[in-house]
Amino acid sequence: MTEHRMTAAVDTSLVATAAAALSVLCASTAFAGVLADGRWVFPALLTTAAVVAIGVLGRRVRWPASATATAQLAGVLVMLTVQFTESAVLGLLPGPAAVRELGRLLTGAAEVVRTGVPPVPAEPPLQALVCLGLGVVVVVVDLIVVGLRSPAVSGLLLLCVFAIPASLADAMLPWWTFVAGGAGFALVLATGGQHRRWRSREDRAQVTRALFGPATASVVGTAGVIALLTGAVFTGVGTEGRLPGSVPEQFGGTEGIGLQPFTSLRGQLDRGQEVELFRVRGLREPTYLRALTLRRFNPERGWELEGLTQGVEANAELPLPEGTDIAEGDAQRVEVEPVGYRDPWLPVFGVPRFLSGMGVNWRYDPAAGIVFTQTNQESRPYVEQLVLPKPTPEQLREAHGPLRVAPEYLDTTGIPPQVADLARRLTADSPTAFDKAVALNRYFTDPSNGFRYDLRTAPGGGGDALTEFLFRGKRGFCEQYASSMAALLRTVGIPSRVAIGFTAGYRDGDERVITTEDAHAWVEAYFPGWGWQTFDPTPLGDGRTALPQYLDDELSPAQLPAPVPGQDEPSTPSTAGPTPGHERPDEDTTGAAPVDPRETEQGDPWPVVLGVLVVALVVLAVPGVVREVRRRQRLRAVAGGAAGAAGLAWREVLDEFRDRGARPAPTDTARQVATRLLEHHGLDESGAKAMRKLVTAVEREWYAPPGTEPEGSLPEVLHGVLDSLRRAAPLDLRSRLFPRSVLSSFR
């Protein structure tokens, strides 16, 4: 009978170890939402298995918890070296060359995280980063669940594993990842819930009932529901380097995208680092790169995309924009390579006539001038054949005829009367539509009118945003300038829309580089025959504006100086008078080749490694810090004679005994607890005497009538008990780092 019971017993530490590792792997399924393939799974499994094996070995040979954790971290480094480097010593050990190789891999992974748009291919740099992160998490969770027997605390780390891909994804993570994460955490809770009753070896049937019984099933179901609800609410936030929003669900002209384009645009300009988005070859002169246009003005939410149709196939010869008859201009062929950009809107220069290379399922709407897709696909280099119209001011002044565009481009609904009055006053002396548009553009760029470019708008005064900006604030982002001028144009009878895209960037050899710093909004006004023409009211002071010649000729040279004849365009943008948030590389005055900005952004790999290690050390240090803070607060209160000082001293003594493994019964009196503790730890005579005095002081405080004088020598009594206890039973390193009195509060 005894032999049968032994064969049916299992090692409960192995059960907890397996549950801890499985919980981390379940949480790691969240990376399926940001990694495009599963090549990271097998390396992550191998790394996890190595950590588990070292943990089991360390506990079998009775290593201290700190030594076991250190060996596990070393195992993570060895597994990274074996799987991702070719310079390992003896094919296994991480020598200096292997460490440098790992550093380069992690640097590449950090760059992908900074600039990539999920889901991204699970290339070796990302595999190494995932294995490093999961390996460290498995070490800490293993220590908490098995070494400290506090499985509930591990939920904080498992939540962090979910938080990283959730913050990078631009959509909700797959639903099954939340269910898997909840199931893994429930399994860990089930192993820990029995620790106060389980022995080192326990009956297999009892373990099975604890792990897979009704209670665990209920926790799994509840955790899954909560995780799904939480994910639906909080995982719509992304960090991808792209311009405007998402594909509308319907392209029938009834659905708008609200402020999403402007929200994304502001996010680009507010980034801490400049991210390269496009490289362009063949563009002979600076001009704007248009991603989409907005035609509906909503007084509460701003400009919205409306009326986008199915258009025509983009991989073919494209028709002229709606309402455009004149196709004169500079014909060009440009090659655009998306680097850190992916979006359902394909940016184009000028009037596109033919597009190729971007893949299938792209459409072109001639009315809106937008190239878009309704499918999720990777960005590819594409070629655009285009025409840059170059009408003269005289030709635009003479542009007459029917306005062959949708009447919505003249809709003034929601524009306040005082805004319309301002537009009429500003254009009172302008005889033609072109002169009116120039007058309105000049109103914003003339410094004497008080407008100033700023990434933050002026504080509101309670009115609508348009009126506040035009009449009081006069400080804002390109959103405010483009929105305001487009509204003013409509009130004087000129069809207008807001365009979203990029300025022309800067030259790098024979290419132009467009980055997140070039994200911009401007205005397009319609002229019969010539179609939509560019105006830009934003008073940029960093040389990024690329005005068409007809507008540059009409605006004051003092505001927008024309290039000096015969002077080449600088290879990097001018830095004279930079606007905050738009600093550019300095112009090379030595004649040397310009430095690729990407070379100046190469990061040191060690911050990534050190950051992971620092987080792990902080998590490990928390219990000890909490215990020390409690101790100091109690000692200070006892020394100061605070109310309830004897009770505080008693709680401090109980916590010291709990840190040494004692568990006083809740029903025991203070004298019974003191007697058992004295016998168990063998305090010397001075310690026993101090303990009896402390118990007397506690009983007097708890049971004596109100007004009884407290024990005057209480601080000395408390120190006598603590000093004797430390002499009789000094704490080991594990108990000091992870005090049981603190960890028990998480159970």
Side-chain angles (χ1 to χ4, degrees), residues 103-148:
R104 287 193 295 270
L105 276 175
L106 295 175
T107 298
E111 184 70 10
V112 173
V113 171
R114 189 173 66 85
T115 62
V117 180
V120 295
E123 300 295 343
L126 285 179
Q127 295 178 37
L129 183 61
V130 169
C131 288
L132 173 62
L134 290 182
V136 173
V137 171
V138 173
V139 171
V140 179
V141 170
D142 182 75
L143 176 62
I144 293 172
V145 173
V146 185
L148 305 179

Side-chain angles (χ1 to χ4, degrees), residues 166-453:
S167 67
L168 296 174
D170 61 346
M172 180 176 172
L173 298 176
W175 66 268
W176 53 269
T177 64
F178 295 103
V179 176
F185 184 50
L187 188 64
V188 169
L189 291 179
T191 64
Q194 303 294 331
H195 274 159
R196 294 185 180 179
R197 297 192 296 272
W198 278 358
R199 297 159 294 188
S200 61
R201 299 189 68 80
E202 192 57 76
D203 183 75
R204 183 179 303 169
Q206 181 178 348
V207 173
T208 302
R209 284 194 301 271
L211 294 181
F212 307 108
T216 304
S218 299
V219 173
V220 170
T222 303
V225 171
I226 293 174
L228 283 173
L229 292 176
T230 304
V233 174
F234 292 110
T235 59
V237 180
T239 59
E240 55 196 271
R242 61 181 184 143
L243 186 64
S246 57
V247 183
E249 293 181 1
Q250 298 177 356
F251 287 81
T254 60
E255 295 293 324
I257 60 171
L259 290 177
Q260 182 61 31
F262 283 133
T263 300
S264 293
L265 188 60
R266 181 181 287 107
Q268 295 240 0
L269 292 174
D270 283 347
R271 290 179 67 110
Q273 287 184 299
E274 186 176 357
V275 177
E276 184 176 314
L277 298 179
F278 302 97
R279 284 190 164 258
V280 180
R281 289 174 290 277
L283 188 67
R284 292 196 287 268
E285 59 188 276
T287 188
Y288 293 135
L289 180 62
R290 181 178 62 252
L292 74 160
T293 61
L294 313 176
R295 82 172 186 183
R296 181 174 182 267
F297 177 72
N298 184 318
E300 296 181 355
R301 295 186 295 172
W303 289 81
E304 300 174 329
L305 177 66
E306 183 188 66
L308 192 62
T309 68
Q310 289 291 343
V312 299
E313 172 63 41
N315 282 293
E317 185 176 357
L318 303 179
L320 287 173
E322 186 175 283
T324 301
D325 300 320
I326 303 172
E328 299 175 1
D330 183 12
Q332 300 187 32
R333 180 185 182 276
V334 297
E335 300 174 7
V336 182
E337 179 186 359
V339 179
Y341 175 92
R342 194 188 82 187
D343 208 75
W345 321 107
L346 188 76
V348 292
F349 293 101
V351 177
R353 301 313 313 273
F354 192 88
L355 291 167
S356 61
M358 66 283 191
V360 297
N361 298 323
W362 288 91
R363 311 290 295 179
Y364 173 61
D365 183 351
I370 298 175
V371 182
F372 62 91
T373 183
Q374 294 173 273
T375 61
N376 185 19
Q377 53 184 292
E378 297 296 326
S379 300
R380 305 178 188 178
Y382 57 98
V383 176
E384 179 191 1
Q385 296 182 26
L386 64 125
V387 172
L388 282 181
K390 293 188 175 181
T392 65
E394 290 71 23
Q395 288 173 320
L396 292 180
R397 288 189 176 97
E398 296 171 358
H400 299 291
L403 301 179
R404 293 184 291 109
V405 292
E408 286 79 6
Y409 288 112
L410 281 168
D411 184 13
T412 59
T413 302
I415 299 177
Q418 58 268 42
V419 174
D421 291 340
L422 174 64
R424 285 191 290 269
R425 291 198 308 271
L426 294 174
T427 60
D429 298 327
S430 303
T432 68
F434 176 72
D435 292 315
K436 294 179 189 294
V438 171
L440 294 176
N441 202 129
R442 184 182 291 116
Y443 175 65
F444 294 101
T445 57
D446 187 341
S448 64
N449 292 323
F451 286 94
R452 183 163 62 90
Y453 178 83

Side-chain angles (χ1 to χ4, degrees), residues 527-539:
F527 296 89
W530 287 98
W532 296 97
Q533 301 300 315
T534 296
F535 292 82
D536 191 350
T538 305

Side-chain angles (χ1 to χ4, degrees), residues 456 567 611 743:
R456 293 169 298 192
Q567 179 176 327
L743 297 177

Side-chain angles (χ1 to χ4, degrees), residues 714-728:
L714 186 60
E716 292 77 10
V717 170
L718 174 60
H719 283 289
V721 174
L722 298 180
D723 292 343
S724 176
L725 179 61
R726 289 164 186 160
R727 290 193 299 270

